[in-house]
Amino acid sequence: IILLKQANARTSILYLYLSFLSMLKRSSLALPVVTVPPHNVNKNTTTPMLCIIIVTILLLSLTQSLTVVMAVDRSKFRTCQQTSFCRRHREGRSTAAFDYALIPESIRFTTARGPAEALLSEQEPQNEEGEPQQDQGNDADTPMNQQHHGIHGSGYYAKIKRLLLRKDKDAAAAAAAAAAADGQAVDKLDPYYRGIEPFFTATLVNQSPYSYWYGKDSESSEDLKLSIYLHDDGVTRMRITEDYHQSQASPSSSDPAFATPRWTSDELILNHGQFKAFPMEQVHVLDKVELEHLLAKANIDGGDDGNDDGDNTENYTAMRFGNLSFASPFTTTGTTSTTLEETSVLILVQFYPFAVHMWRYNMDTNNIQTDSPIVSFNSDQLMHFELRRTKEDGATEIKRQTESEVQSPSLTTQEDKHGGKEIVGYWEDGLAIYADGTREEKVQEEPSDAVGIDRDATSSVETKNNESTVEFHVDTDGMWEEKFGDFIDSKPFGPMSVGGDILFPQSKHLFGLPEHASSTLLKSTTGSGAHYKEPYRLYNLDVFEYELDETMSLYGEVPLIVSQSKISDTVGVFWFNPTEAFVDVKEVGNKEESIQTHWISESGVLDLFFLPGPSPQAVYEQYGRLTGHTPLPPMFSLGYHQCRWNYRDEADIFQVHEKFEELDYPYDVLWLDIEHTDGKRYFTWDSNLFPHPLFMQETLSNHGHKMVTIVDPHIKRDDNYYIHKEATAKGLYVKDKNGDKDYDGWCWPGSSSYLDFTDQMVRNWWATQFAYDKYKGSSSSLFTWNDMNEPSVFNGPEVSMQKDLRNLNGIEHREWHNLYGTLFHRSTSEGLIQRNADGNSRSFVLSRSFFAGSQRYGAIWTGDNQSSWDHLKISIPMLLSLNVGALSFVGADVGGFFGNPDAELMTRWMQAGAYQPFFRGHAHHDSKRREPWMFGDEWMRKMRNAAMARYALLPYWYNVFREANISGMPVMRAMWMQYPAIEELYHIDDQFLIGSDLLVKPVTEPGATESLVLFPNSDNWYDVDTMTMMETDTKKGQFSAINVKSDIDKIPVYQRGGSVIPRKLRLRRSTEMMIHDPYTLYIALDKAGKANGLLYMDDENTFDYDRKEYFAQANFEVEIEQYIRCVATGNVEWLTSQPSSSRRIERILIMGVQKSPTSIMWGSKPIEFQYNEQNLVLALKVDLSALQSWDLSLVAE
């Protein structure tokens, strides 16, 4: 109506119609579009246009009940087939070019006395050719540096000499002498490595005659350096790099790409300061007899040792070390593990074909625990390591080896697809916005070939496999330059991919590799009956409107896989490589059901950490030592967060706040999105909309609430913007591919530059920007949200940066892309800590992008989800997968970011969110307002009940986060994490546990009145609302499947028998107002009438719990026919500083009590109690301190 009142009404009608068409474009409807340019609008077109608008409105009204289908624009994102390094190596396509063997004479062990040669010792008789005269055997008591470990047999040695070395004996002797001169050469020549000393080093050589770098006639070879590191907790690190010693020592090595170490991120990601080596003098290297015994039992492929006598011990060496541990009941004051003295780790290294296997070893029986290894590397010979080469040298080598022309046409000519139109911006979908008001149309590209070996730019050779001839193709397309869409990757070092296969024998269940919108259980991507056609991709991207049940990349990645098996128990593998990767999952079942994974990374080095377990608790203790633990979050961050893109102004903020207060609806934080800034300049405020930011924050803070503002990594290129001006002057931005100019990309502010967070100087500078005197209008109650930090670049390839951009040290973006979001997150978190003079207040920062170790810096959310039941349902396995990756503080936007949830969906999502670690409602600016009261009083009360349940359980949430802080164990746990003996629960990802004691089954179907819950029969389970025990049937197996009531007022939540859960039941407006509220203890008895649990307490805001050990813990123990006991422990100074009225316990509720006691006494004082015979609940009214020890005596009838 307003538009029609304008003078140019007809033009306004056209624009109104186009607006409707824009709305339809987001939906699944397809309507005819009539395009009429504005200058042609006249009186003859007005009437029909009005009719079209009316019809459009009617159609929209008729489709209100339909689900709006949103789909990702797949043309923006690459598949494996469109990615040269993945296409080249997937499914064994490059296997013929890589055939690795370990050179026995290069093996070196490091003892407590220093490096020791294993093979070329003076005690070994040698003939005039430098070969051993005979196998000397081994004596178990022989010093390690004099042992030969049975690997000098003449048959194998001759084969190695003939097939592997391909060098004259003088060159071999020189290499051996160089190795003997400095056992730590690899580490000294690699400035990026961080960690312990290697125990075992050796040289690997690619002995394939069809290598596309060095062929059968070449005098050179592809040598790699293998290092194995033994950690004190049984973790084994295997690192394979280019042979930097050889490249720098050899005068013939002229390629500068090969002569310098590959960049790795040890310093940035690994918690290397906490690494501890297993004492080297205690490592046991197996002798020949022990090897024979091992190989007789081990279920592995034996390799080819060249012996005719059946003795293949010469093809192996093995080492045994460590004492594994399992987790004991969680305590915050001591260790969380108990040593299993009888269990150690055994590593078997196979020389040819090269492979590494891990077992758990039982010291009592002097044998491996299972015939098959718990994990194996390169058992299927899929390992590859492409050496870096310049285009000129590399292309020449490939041409010489294949005797065919390498076709790598220049890709520098770029067609102008914009037709000469002036581009004034880009939207998040990457399409251009033109000066004439039009937008670029999406062009559907033809799909690429399915196999990729018949492309024009392909070279081939013939290889012989036994008696058959197989044609092997070298796919050279994309080796030296690669095009995707309009973007060209210059690849100055050519192909430099690394990869290999990791086998999990006797396992059918793998988990991890977040983030994907798929099940928690990893499903097959290749092989017969594969669930997916594409491998899991690990490349952090801004995926707009992502689809479900897909392996395509999302916002973050953690390259961690955890295997759970009833036979091999729990084992993990951490693939420490932050470059883009694809991971295939394949079910294999020759002798036994197993799963093989095939990892293909674009660059970096082969750096694997094997986590031997044997339990989920042990694996997460081990992984936590590698990448760090989750710090305790400030208590307010565990409350409810209310967000929207965007709250309009200060008046809007106050109105929302006041409505929460009026309705007694608890919340802790209000959020502001990008529109609060001055023109998308972060650290600023729009002076018209938010003229008094400090007053706004103070007003909310006085009521116990906080605020969060968004700060993204893209910096508006405006010389009048102080952040950009200073960053430019200091040279802090990521550079172009030549390393000269600051990179210019497009994001929300328009033309933007991006800070180089891989540089410590830049991170430090960024942290200082959060100082109160720099971030004007900020206060101690203002916290931060990091979005778009994949990084998102609207006009970049795949909505991100080009891979050949450079950081300040000249390292290409491809090497650190997946780290960018984590390093931005880290720097922001450090800034919030440093802004206070004492640096003692905990930070809260939410990030969309992440990598391994992000758990140290704050919370993560699942990005731009949709308002649909399917997205509510997928949020649970997505969050469980993040927890598998040790990211505990995670959540999904309640209600869905895009779209408009109805009241039922919003309510169910609020109920689900109340039992997820990070609890935030959020919405897109095109979505209708959806604060809880927007759905009417009845629905608001249902949502408020869910929020109240969340706030009541905050003491328990805090307990579980403390456990994660100490042990690394996830907060939100898949069922197998707590019940690894029940194989039927391994695949379950629609129910979960909070800690060990609360089982939750969110309702994710519309109109549901019942839900199927699977209860482990080893424990009792109590409904948290009725406090009645569930009737499980132990005769039917290890679990009971029960249909429970779950109407709209009910979310199925159950407390485990044998546990004690503290709650606070006062209704308050925020967590800050609850700190002195009394506790109610909910005690659920196990089958023996016992229970135990704890209550962890600190100031809920500072780092004093860590720096000064200012905390206390109440440890509860219950035997229902005898006593209820509290043993208080903690820092005396902190305990005595607490008000006597705080940390009180006012009620104790005990579930599963079969009969009432006659009396309950606290010393000589009787305790008032009531017993409910119907639901078997005993209720005690008490006034006890959680900071003091006490005993209540129960006298039975």
Side-chain angles (χ1 to χ4, degrees), residues 976-1077:
W976 59 265
M977 289 185 179
Q978 209 63 39
Y979 295 93
I982 308 178
E983 189 173 17
E984 293 85 351
L985 297 181
Y986 288 0
H987 71 284
I988 298 298
D989 59 9
D990 60 354
Q991 66 180 57
F992 57 89
L993 293 155
I994 302 169
S996 59
D997 298 338
L998 280 182
L999 191 159
V1000 184
K1001 175 67 181 279
V1003 179
T1004 59
E1005 298 287 345
T1009 58
E1010 285 190 345
S1011 297
L1012 182 66
V1013 182
L1014 307 184
F1015 294 97
N1017 285 336
S1018 56
D1019 289 310
N1020 293 338
W1021 295 95
Y1022 299 84
D1023 186 304
V1024 298
D1025 295 321
T1026 65
M1027 294 189 287
T1028 56
M1029 187 169 68
M1030 304 303 297
E1031 296 182 3
T1032 57
D1033 188 350
T1034 57
K1035 297 179 180 179
K1036 291 185 177 180
Q1038 293 182 294
F1039 69 96
S1040 296
I1042 302 177
N1043 278 310
V1044 301
K1045 292 183 178 180
S1046 58
D1047 59 29
I1048 193 62
D1049 291 306
K1050 173 71 174 177
I1051 177 172
V1053 181
Y1054 304 89
Q1055 183 172 342
R1056 181 184 62 82
S1059 66
V1060 179
I1061 290 182
R1063 285 182 172 86
K1064 288 187 175 183
L1065 302 182
R1066 301 280 199 276
L1067 176 59
R1068 302 293 189 185
R1069 57 169 66 107
S1070 69
T1071 57
E1072 186 176 317
M1073 303 299 175
M1074 296 171 62
I1075 191 166
H1076 297 301
D1077 283 352

Side-chain angles (χ1 to χ4, degrees), residues 894-928:
V894 170
F897 180 59
F898 292 108
N900 297 298
D902 61 21
E904 183 187 7
L905 176 57
M906 189 67 193
T907 299
R908 288 303 195 187
W909 214 319
M910 190 72 75
Q911 292 171 345
Y915 290 94
Q916 293 167 0
F918 176 59
F919 186 24
R920 181 183 78 155
H922 186 34
H924 190 272
H925 60 66
D926 286 342
S927 300
K928 297 177 182 178

Side-chain angles (χ1 to χ4, degrees), residues 141 477 663 1079 1108 1168:
D141 297 325
D477 185 24
L663 297 173
Y1079 299 99
K1108 299 180 180 180
E1168 180 182 345

Side-chain angles (χ1 to χ4, degrees), residues 336-355:
T336 62
S337 62
T338 299
T339 300
L340 297 173
E341 295 291 348
E342 73 278 5
T343 305
S344 59
V345 172
L346 189 146
I347 301 296
L348 178 70
V349 180
Q350 178 175 300
F351 300 160
Y352 182 74
F354 170 68

Side-chain angles (χ1 to χ4, degrees), residues 634-644 647 656 660 665-671 704-708 844 889 892-896 906 909-923 930-933 935 943-944 946-952 954 957 1068-1072 1074:
M635 181 64 86
F636 79 83
S637 65
L638 299 180
Y640 178 64
H641 301 246
Q642 181 65 44
C643 184
R644 178 177 179 80
Y647 285 118
V656 171
F660 274 111
Y665 198 116
Y667 89 96
D668 262 81
V669 192
L670 281 179
W671 293 51
H705 302 295
K706 309 293 189 292
M707 292 196 72
V708 166
F844 170 76
F889 200 4
D893 284 341
V894 170
M906 189 67 193
W909 214 319
M910 190 72 75
Q911 292 171 345
Y915 290 94
Q916 293 167 0
F918 176 59
F919 186 24
R920 181 183 78 155
H922 186 34
R930 62 169 77 150
E931 290 77 16
W933 51 87
F935 299 90
M943 288 184 256
R944 184 176 60 189
M948 290 169 61
R950 166 62 168 233
Y951 276 76
L954 284 176
W957 280 103
R1068 302 293 189 185
R1069 57 169 66 107
S1070 69
T1071 57
E1072 186 176 317
M1074 296 171 62

Side-chain angles (χ1 to χ4, degrees), residues 32-83:
V33 177
V34 179
T35 302
V36 184
H39 63 271
N40 289 334
V41 176
N42 55 48
K43 61 182 180 181
N44 297 323
T45 62
T46 303
T47 301
M49 285 172 58
L50 282 172
C51 294
I52 293 173
I53 292 174
I54 292 170
V55 171
T56 301
I57 294 172
L58 289 173
L59 286 171
L60 284 172
S61 65
L62 291 172
T63 59
Q64 286 300 304
S65 60
L66 298 179
T67 300
V68 176
V69 178
M70 299 179 180
V72 65
D73 181 0
R74 289 180 171 274
S75 67
K76 293 189 303 181
F77 303 104
R78 290 181 294 122
T79 62
C80 174
Q81 178 58 29
Q82 295 169 313
T83 309

